[in-house]
Amino acid sequence: MEIRQHIEKAKNGDQVAFTFLLDHYWNEVYGFMLKRTENETDAEDITIETFSKAFDKIAKYNPEFQFNTWLIAIAKNVHIDLLRKKKSALFIDITDEEDQQAYNVADTTPSAEDELIAKQNLSSLLECIKQLKPAYQEVIQLRFFQELSYQEIADQLNEPLNNVKVKLLRAKKLLAEIIENKR
């Protein structure tokens, strides 16, 4: 009997009655939608929209049916609407102009010539690195070929972090000089 009284009060705009109905039926509607969607965010969004629609249309509620059954029916419809929106979002109309733009995108895959040049440059760079002292070769190799952080290099070499930074800076300067002199 208490539920029917709250429904009647809600029909007359009583906010306390709305809150009571929301609190009373929230878990049931949310649990139902969570089982259907298997997604907490979607279940929560659907439940919120369900109560919003139910409270907007509460004057049309037929007391011959259980209130929770009415809420679940609304929730099912909200869920179906959500699925339709998601499905329609997957199929976007593309104009002929947009379609042509997609085909005009430049191919960034390196050509055989680009790959040959890169290999030659790498080979030349490795020759220059070999001219450095072994300690400098090591930090260059760890930093730029193994892509270790400064701290990882310091840990691996068992040296203070600042020493590694200075050694790497010197190695890069010496390498730049070697490359410049090679030209």
Side-chain angles (χ1 to χ4, degrees):
M1 191 65 168
E2 185 180 331
I3 299 294
R4 292 205 185 276
Q5 290 172 342
H6 280 83
I7 293 169
E8 287 306 313
K9 287 180 181 178
K11 283 182 178 182
N12 293 323
D14 185 333
Q15 291 300 314
V16 175
F18 283 131
T19 303
F20 172 83
L21 294 170
L22 179 74
D23 291 343
H24 189 77
Y25 290 106
W26 175 271
N27 288 339
E28 185 176 350
V29 175
Y30 175 78
F32 176 79
M33 289 317 305
L34 187 57
K35 285 180 186 173
R36 283 182 72 127
T37 63
E38 297 178 349
N39 181 308
E40 291 178 2
T41 305
D42 286 347
E44 189 173 288
D45 290 346
I46 291 168
T47 304
I48 290 168
E49 191 169 340
T50 296
F51 279 99
S52 174
K53 287 186 178 211
F55 292 157
D56 285 346
K57 307 285 185 189
I58 198 158
K60 295 182 178 184
Y61 167 68
N62 183 348
E64 292 177 22
F65 302 101
Q66 294 290 322
F67 193 69
N68 61 341
T69 305
W70 185 63
L71 287 171
I72 294 296
I74 294 171
K76 285 179 181 177
N77 290 333
V78 169
H79 184 221
I80 290 168
D81 290 345
L82 178 72
L83 291 174
R84 285 182 183 147
K85 284 179 188 173
K86 283 184 177 181
K87 187 176 180 183
S88 69
L90 294 175
F91 300 102
I92 300 170
D93 288 335
I94 297 176
T95 65
D96 288 339
E97 183 181 328
E98 291 169 330
D99 193 39
Q100 188 59 42
Q101 286 177 344
Y103 283 108
N104 290 338
V105 173
D107 182 13
T108 58
T109 308
S111 67
E113 293 86 6
D114 292 336
E115 288 179 8
L116 182 62
I117 291 168
K119 284 180 184 175
Q120 288 174 345
N121 287 341
L122 180 60
S123 175
S124 176
L125 178 63
L126 291 173
E127 284 178 31
C128 293
I129 291 172
K130 285 181 184 176
Q131 294 177 33
L132 295 171
K133 291 180 182 176
Y136 293 147
Q137 288 181 29
E138 186 176 28
V139 291
I140 292 281
Q141 197 271 338
L142 292 171
R143 179 69 177 150
F144 298 105
F145 293 96
Q146 292 186 22
E147 298 180 349
L148 297 182
S149 70
Y150 291 115
Q151 187 60 56
E152 290 170 330
I153 296 169
D155 293 343
Q156 188 164 334
L157 298 178
N158 200 21
E159 291 187 21
L161 181 61
N162 284 336
N163 286 10
V164 169
K165 289 180 180 179
V166 169
K167 196 180 284 187
L168 196 56
L169 182 64
R170 287 182 185 154
K172 289 192 312 188
K173 282 185 179 180
L174 289 171
L175 184 59
E177 287 174 16
I178 292 168
I179 292 170
E180 188 62 37
N181 289 337
K182 193 174 180 181
R183 288 183 184 174

